[in-house]
Amino acid sequence: MRQALALIIGLASVMVADAKPAAMQLAPASDWQDPTPSMQFLEDPSRQLAWKDLRDPMIENRFRNPGSRGLNFGFTDSAYWYRFAIDSPGGARNTDWVLEIGWPPLDEIDLYIDAGNGEIRHIRSGEKRTPGISGIQHRNYALPFTLLPGASAVLELRVQIDGAHQLPARLWTAEAFARKTARENLYFGMFYGAMIVMIIYNLLMYLAARDAVFLAYVLFLGSITGLLSLLDGFAQPLLWPIWPPLGDYATAFGVACSALSLAVFTRVAMQTRERNPRLNRVLSLLLVIAAVCLVTPLAIPLVKATMINAAVGGISAAFAALIMAIQAIEGRRSAQVFACLWMVLLAGIVVKVLQVNGILPVHPLTVYAIHIGLAVLATTVSLTLAETLNSQRREQSRLTREKAEARALAQREFLTKMSHELRTPMNAIIGFTDLALRDDDNARRKAHLAKIDRGARALLRTVNDVLDLSRLESGGMSLERRDFALPPMLARLDEFTRQQLADGVAFQMHCEDEVPVVLQGDEWRLEQLLCVLLGNAAKFTSAGEVSLNVACRECDADDLLLEFRIADTGIGIPEDRQPELFKPFAQADQSMTREYDGSGLGLAICKQIVDAMDGQIALDSGQGCGSRFTVRLRFGKGQASGLSATPVAQPGQRDALTQQRTRGRRVLLVEDNAMNQDLAIQILEDEGVQVDTANNGAEAVAAVEKGSYDLVLMDVQMPVMDGFAATRRIRESCPAGRLPIVAMTANALPQDRQEAAAAGMNDFLPKPIDADQVVELLRKWLPKEGLALEPVGDELGSLHRHVAAHEFAAWAVFERSAEQLRLHFHRREVEELESALAAFDFERSLAILERWIGSTRPAAVATAKAQ
C-alpha cells in the first residue's frame, strides 16, 4: 500500500513539473515585457487558499494556461492565483524591476517572490489596503523587486475583487517605469484638464443662457469623468481615508450616475418629450431604473450591483444613440451632429464594457476606449451646443420679432379703430357746433355753443393725447428727417401761445442770431413738444409772463445742438412732485386736476418725444416760483433750396377770392357716416360748391367714371370698398395731376398718411374737420383760372405793421396772404420777401413792403401804409 502511494506521489510530482511554464527570459535591451504568456492562473472561489496551500501537489496541479482572451474573467467574486518564473541573463545591467498591474479597482493584491535563496518576499497592495503600503505610490499598482544578473525567481500573485476581474500586467525596468509614469501623467493631465475645462465652459454657458441642456451636459461630463477617474486610479487615494471599501461602491455608484445623467442629457438635448413622445416614455423608464441603480450596491452583492449598473449604462447609451439616429433621419441638423459624435463615444463604451466583461482582451485601445471617445465628444459637443444655442436664439429672436410685429400690428389696428370711432362723432359735434356759432346771432345761445365747442375740443385733445401716448409707448413713433424752416414754426408757436394766455400775461420770444434758419429733423414732433410746454406754461400762469428762448449750444460742420428754454411766472411745481411729473396721468397736485383742465399726459408725451430724439429735458421749478423747462435736441443743418415755396394755409380766410374760386365747382364727397356727410355738405355748399355724394368706395369709382369733378374728398374706412382701394382704382384711369383726391378720415396716425400717399391721394385731412380747414383745402386744390384780382390793402398794411415792429407774427400774416400776394405781385418778389422773413431780416422785408406800398400797380394798396 505504501509503495502504491509513493508511486502516485512520484507521478504527480512529474506531472506538476511538466505543468510549470517555461521561465520568461528578461531581455537586456527592452524597457518592458508582457509576462501574461508565461503566466498560469488558479481560481479560488472560496477565497480560502493561502500561499502555503499552493505547495500541495493536488492544488498546484490545478494551475492552467490563459486562453485567447487572456487574464480577463469578467464580473466575479472569486480570488485568483497567478504564477510565472523569470530568468535574468548573466550580463544584464538592470537589477531593479517593477511589476505594474493596470486595473485600479482590484481590492487585494499579494505578491510572493521566491528567488531560490530560501527567502520569500511578500508585497501587499490593493484598493482596500493603504495606498502604496509596500509598493510604489502610483495610480496603478506598482510592485518593485530586485533580481540580480544570472538569477531566477518565481512570482506568485493572489488577486481579489468584487467586480470585473482582469490582470493587465507589465514588467518594467525601474528607469523605464519612471519615464513612462511621467509621460502618462502628462497625457492624463491633458485629458482630465480638458474635461474640467469643458465642464467649466458649459457651466458658464448655463449661467449665461440658463438653458437646461448645458446643465444636463455638465452633469453628464462630470459623472463620466468621475467614473473614469475611479477606473484610472486617481480617485482611490482620495476615497481610501474615508472608508477603504468606498472605492468598490464608488465604481458601481459612478456607473449608475453616468447612466442617469446620460438619460437626462438625451431627454433635454433631443427634446424627446415634444419630438418623440413614445421613445420619451421608454427613456423615462430608463431614468427611473438608473435612479434605482444608485442604491443597488447597498442592497445586493457588489458584484451583481456593478454588473447590473454597467448593463443599464450600456442600454442607456444604446438607446440615446437610437433617439439621435431617428431624429437625424428626420432631418434635425443638431441630431445629425450628435449622432455622429455619439457613435464615437458609444463605440468606446461598448468596447470598454466588452473588455470589462472579459469578451475583449486587455489592450490600450480597449482599456482607454472611453477616454478616446469622450475626448472627441466633449470638445465637439460643447461647440455644437453653443452653435445650437445660437441657432435657437436666432430662431427665438425671429419668433419674438414676428410676435412683436404682430402685436404692433394689432395695436395699430386697435389705435386706428379707436381713432376712427372716437373722432367720427367728435367730427360731427365740433363741426355742427362751429356752423351753429357762425349762423346764430343769439348771444346767449352763442355763449352756450362756445362752451360746447371748448369742451368738445378739450375732449378731442385728451383723445389725441391718449392715442399719441399709446403709439409712443408701443414704439410706433417714427421720426422724420427733412429740411424745415424754423421761423414759420416759431410764428405759429407765437400765435398759438398768445391765444392760450390769460388777460394781462405777456409773451416774449427770442431766437439768437447763431440759430440757423433751416434745420434738418422732425418739424412736427418739435412743434408738438413746444406746444405742450408753452400750453402748460400759459395754463398755469395767471400773471406775469411766459417766454421762449432758442439758443445754439454746439455747432459743427454737420449738426448742431439747440436749446429751447420755456419759462413762466406761474404757480410752480414742488420739488417732491417733480420726479413723477413726466409719468402718464401725473400732475403736481391732485387738486390741480380740479382747478385746471388737462389729463396729465402732455409732459409724458414730451418725455417720450425727447427720448426718441436722443435729447434731454430738464425742469427747474419751485412752488410759487414759476417753472423753467430746458430742452436740448440735436438737429442737422438743412438746405434752404429744399424747402417748399407753398405757404401753409391758416384758418379764417373767408374772402371773396376764395368764394370766387369755389363757386360752381363740382366736388365728390365719399362718406359712409350720415352725420359727417351732412356736415361736409353744409360746409361745402356754404362755399358755393356743387356736392355729389357716395356712400362707399365702389360708388365713388362709378361716380368718377360717369361724371367730371374738380376734387374728391375720400373717407378711408367704408363698407364694400375702402378709400385706399377706391383711390387705386380711380388712379388707373385718372392721374393725380388731373383729379385731386384728399383723404378725409378719422384715422390720423402717421402710417395712415403714408398709406394714403401710397394709394395715390394728394392730401390728408384728419377729422374732426371745421369750415376753415375745408375752405383752405378748397383754396389749395381747386383750379385758379379765370379769377379776378382782389384788393390786398388790408393784409399788406397788417404785414407792414408787424414787420416794422419786428414781430414774429409777421410770418403768420404772410402765410395768410401769400397766395393773394402772388396774384398781385411778381412771383420772384414774393419769394424774396418770403426768404427775408424766414431769415428774420426785417430791414430787407420792410424795404420790399415799402416798394410795394409805393407802387401803383394795384389800386387798393395806395392807402395801405396809412392804414
Side-chain angles (χ1 to χ4, degrees):
M1 189 68 178
R2 291 180 180 177
Q3 293 178 349
L5 182 59
L7 179 61
I8 293 173
I9 293 175
L11 291 174
S13 300
V14 172
M15 292 177 62
V16 170
D18 293 339
K20 289 183 180 181
M24 183 181 69
Q25 300 294 322
L26 297 179
S30 178
D31 290 336
W32 65 274
Q33 291 180 250
D34 183 7
T36 304
S38 303
M39 282 188 178
Q40 291 183 320
F41 71 93
L42 169 65
E43 183 179 4
D44 178 18
S46 65
R47 299 187 179 185
Q48 300 298 320
L49 291 178
W51 179 78
K52 292 183 178 180
D53 296 333
L54 300 182
R55 310 280 75 81
D56 185 337
M58 299 298 296
I59 295 177
E60 189 175 12
N61 193 43
R62 290 164 50 191
F63 276 90
R64 300 193 303 274
N65 295 322
S68 58
R69 68 179 183 179
L71 303 176
N72 192 353
F73 304 103
F75 288 92
T76 178
D77 56 0
S78 299
Y80 281 81
W81 282 91
Y82 300 93
R83 181 178 64 189
F84 66 99
I86 56 176
D87 290 335
S88 178
R93 293 175 297 174
N94 299 312
T95 59
D96 296 325
W97 298 86
V98 176
L99 177 63
E100 179 189 22
I101 301 175
W103 185 232
L106 294 175
D107 294 337
E108 297 179 3
I109 299 176
D110 292 273
L111 174 62
Y112 298 89
I113 304 174
D114 183 1
N117 55 4
E119 179 182 354
I120 306 299
R121 185 184 175 190
H122 182 197
I123 303 175
R124 303 173 64 233
S125 189
E127 186 181 61
K128 292 185 178 180
R129 296 171 176 170
T130 304
I133 183 173
S134 56
I136 300 173
Q137 185 72 33
H138 193 266
R139 69 176 189 89
N140 289 327
Y141 301 112
L143 310 177
F145 64 94
T146 301
L147 187 63
L148 297 176
S152 300
V154 176
L155 283 72
E156 292 173 311
L157 275 168
R158 181 184 183 275
V159 179
Q160 178 180 318
I161 182 176
D162 292 330
H165 190 113
Q166 55 182 301
L167 193 75
R170 284 188 178 183
L171 195 60
W172 296 84
T173 65
E175 294 179 358
F177 183 75
R179 293 194 303 270
K180 170 257 186 187
T181 300
R183 184 171 60 252
E184 196 174 61
N185 289 340
L186 175 62
Y187 295 154
F188 276 108
M190 293 172 60
F191 171 78
Y192 284 103
M195 292 299 103
I196 293 174
V197 168
M198 289 297 101
I199 291 172
I200 296 175
Y201 168 78
N202 286 276
L203 183 60
L204 293 176
M205 289 293 293
Y206 168 72
L207 295 176
R210 295 294 177 181
D211 194 318
V213 67
F214 288 100
L215 183 59
Y217 191 52
V218 166
L219 295 176
F220 170 68
L221 283 182
S223 62
I224 197 166
T225 301
L227 175 61
L228 288 179
S229 68
L230 288 169
L231 299 180
D232 291 335
F234 292 105
Q236 279 79 358
L238 300 176
L239 299 175
W240 191 93
I242 302 174
W243 183 38
L246 189 58
D248 284 341
Y249 290 99
T251 302
F253 181 79
V255 172
C257 284
S258 299
L260 180 62
S261 62
L262 172 58
V264 171
F265 173 69
T266 304
R267 187 178 187 184
V268 175
M270 297 292 100
Q271 301 175 352
T272 56
R273 181 181 297 178
E274 296 80 11
R275 297 178 179 272
N276 308 98
R278 294 182 179 178
L279 295 178
N280 183 69
R281 288 193 287 270
V282 179
L283 190 60
S284 300
L285 179 61
L286 280 177
L287 279 170
V288 174
I289 295 174
V292 173
C293 288
L294 295 174
V295 297
T296 53
L298 302 176
I300 62 176
L302 192 56
V303 175
K304 294 182 180 180
T306 306
M307 185 182 301
I308 292 173
N309 292 0
V312 172
I315 294 173
S316 299
F319 195 71
L322 175 63
I323 293 175
M324 294 177 186
I326 291 175
Q327 293 193 10
I329 294 173
E330 293 174 351
R332 188 183 177 194
R333 183 175 177 275
S334 59
Q336 293 171 351
V337 177
F338 284 153
C340 295
L341 296 172
W342 193 252
M343 293 305 297
V344 177
L345 179 61
L346 180 62
I349 293 175
V350 171
V351 169
K352 185 63 180 177
V353 170
L354 295 177
Q355 183 262 319
V356 168
N357 284 274
I359 300 174
L360 293 179
V362 177
H363 187 274
L365 290 179
T366 60
V367 173
Y368 302 116
I370 297 181
H371 296 74
I372 299 171
L374 184 61
V376 174
L377 177 77
T379 53
T380 312
V381 168
S382 296
L383 299 177
T384 303
L385 286 178
E387 176 59 27
T388 302
L389 176 63
N390 291 334
S391 300
Q392 291 176 350
R393 284 185 170 181
R394 288 192 293 269
E395 179 67 14
Q396 185 65 33
S397 177
R398 184 186 64 81
L399 295 176
T400 303
R401 184 172 62 255
E402 290 178 354
K403 290 180 180 179
E405 291 173 354
R407 285 195 300 268
L409 179 61
Q411 188 168 14
R412 177 192 167 189
E413 292 176 350
F414 170 76
L415 291 175
T416 301
K417 182 68 175 178
M418 292 301 297
S419 175
H420 184 271
E421 294 300 323
L422 292 172
R423 289 173 184 270
T424 297
M426 293 302 300
N427 179 56
I429 295 172
I430 294 175
F432 281 112
T433 302
D434 183 61
L435 291 178
L437 282 170
R438 294 176 183 274
D439 298 337
D440 198 335
D441 294 331
N442 186 291
R444 184 177 181 183
R445 280 199 299 270
K446 289 190 72 170
H448 293 332
L449 290 171
K451 292 179 181 179
I452 294 174
D453 184 65
R454 286 197 299 271
R457 293 183 185 276
L459 178 59
L460 179 62
R461 285 195 299 270
T462 302
V463 170
N464 290 340
D465 286 346
V466 172
L467 294 175
D468 209 6
L469 182 66
S470 300
R471 184 168 67 254
L472 291 171
E473 291 184 340
S474 66
M477 181 182 68
S478 57
L479 296 176
E480 294 183 351
R481 189 169 180 85
R482 61 182 180 85
D483 293 346
F484 68 94
L486 183 61
M489 187 190 71
L490 294 179
R492 292 192 296 270
L493 291 174
D494 181 278
E495 184 176 0
F496 164 79
T497 308
R498 293 183 188 279
Q499 293 174 356
Q500 307 296 317
L501 291 173
D503 293 339
V505 179
F507 177 62
Q508 300 292 333
M509 180 184 293
H510 176 68
C511 183
E512 295 184 358
D513 296 338
E514 294 80 4
V515 178
V517 174
V518 182
L519 304 175
Q520 189 179 76
D522 195 319
E523 177 186 15
W524 186 77
R525 289 296 178 186
L526 175 61
E527 186 170 350
Q528 180 186 17
L529 167 67
L530 296 178
C531 278
V532 172
L533 296 177
L534 289 169
N536 281 349
K539 179 167 59 176
F540 295 110
T541 302
S542 58
E545 70 173 19
V546 174
S547 64
L548 169 62
N549 183 75
V550 184
C552 181
R553 296 305 179 203
E554 295 179 10
C555 183
D556 54 33
D558 298 323
D559 59 11
L560 65 155
L561 180 67
L562 293 188
E563 181 181 271
F564 301 87
R565 180 170 296 179
I566 298 92
D568 63 67
T569 57
I571 61 176
I573 304 169
E575 292 185 5
D576 60 332
R577 297 293 300 169
Q578 292 179 17
E580 304 293 324
L581 206 59
F582 292 101
K583 295 182 179 179
F585 308 102
Q587 287 190 337
D589 194 326
Q590 293 301 321
S591 62
M592 296 173 60
T593 307
R594 298 187 296 270
E595 185 175 353
Y596 300 95
D597 293 332
S599 61
L601 294 175
L603 290 179
I605 294 174
C606 289
K607 185 67 168 62
Q608 293 280 356
I609 293 174
V610 171
D611 290 344
M613 299 176 73
D614 293 329
Q616 298 175 339
I617 183 170
L619 169 63
D620 180 18
S621 182
Q623 191 166 10
C625 302
S627 302
R628 288 157 298 284
F629 284 90
T630 302
V631 178
R632 289 192 170 192
L633 300 172
R634 194 167 292 277
F635 295 91
K637 291 184 177 180
Q639 301 293 328
S641 59
L643 297 179
S644 173
T646 303
V648 180
Q650 297 294 324
Q653 300 177 5
R654 305 291 295 268
D655 52 20
L657 177 64
T658 302
Q659 294 179 5
Q660 184 173 356
R661 175 178 293 181
T662 59
R663 189 176 297 117
R665 302 292 181 177
R666 291 192 66 189
V667 173
L668 176 62
L669 174 65
V670 188
E671 172 65 67
D672 65 316
N673 185 275
M675 287 192 300
N676 289 335
Q677 196 177 90
D678 291 342
L679 173 63
I681 290 174
Q682 290 191 33
I683 295 175
L684 292 170
E685 288 181 346
D686 286 348
E687 298 301 323
V689 173
Q690 181 181 344
V691 184
D692 292 342
T693 60
N695 295 310
N696 55 63
E699 293 182 6
V701 173
V704 170
E705 291 176 351
K706 293 179 181 179
S708 176
Y709 295 99
D710 299 303
L711 178 66
V712 176
L713 299 178
M714 180 79 72
D715 192 13
V716 171
Q717 286 191 352
M718 294 179 295
V720 183
M721 180 185 292
D722 62 35
F724 297 143
T727 300
R728 284 190 287 267
R729 288 281 300 276
I730 293 173
R731 288 293 177 237
E732 292 177 0
S733 58
C734 188
R738 187 150 58 94
L739 176 62
I741 300 178
V742 178
M744 190 172 65
T745 174
N747 300 337
L749 299 179
Q751 297 93 328
D752 300 313
R753 296 177 183 269
Q754 297 171 4
E755 193 170 357
M761 294 181 172
N762 300 80
D763 207 342
F764 190 93
L765 181 63
K767 296 177 182 178
I769 60 174
D770 57 26
D772 290 331
Q773 290 176 309
V774 175
V775 169
E776 288 308 311
L777 193 70
L778 297 176
R779 285 169 53 85
K780 182 176 181 180
W781 291 108
L782 289 179
K784 303 177 183 179
E785 291 78 7
L787 298 181
L789 298 180
E790 297 292 332
V792 292
D794 292 342
E795 293 293 342
L796 194 58
S798 176
L799 180 60
H800 180 273
R801 288 193 300 273
H802 285 295
V803 170
H806 291 197
E807 294 178 352
F808 285 98
W811 181 268
V813 178
F814 171 77
E815 287 184 317
R816 189 168 58 241
S817 59
E819 187 169 352
Q820 295 185 50
L821 294 175
R822 287 186 175 88
L823 293 173
H824 287 80
F825 300 102
H826 196 281
R827 178 178 179 181
R828 186 174 302 169
E829 292 179 330
V830 178
E831 290 178 353
E832 183 181 358
L833 176 62
E834 180 181 16
S835 176
L837 289 173
F840 298 104
D841 191 345
F842 293 108
E843 297 298 332
R844 186 157 60 98
S845 302
L846 189 61
I848 297 173
L849 292 174
E850 292 282 357
R851 187 170 66 249
W852 285 356
I853 291 174
S855 172
T856 59
R857 279 179 291 178
V861 300
T863 59
K865 186 174 182 180
Q867 296 177 359

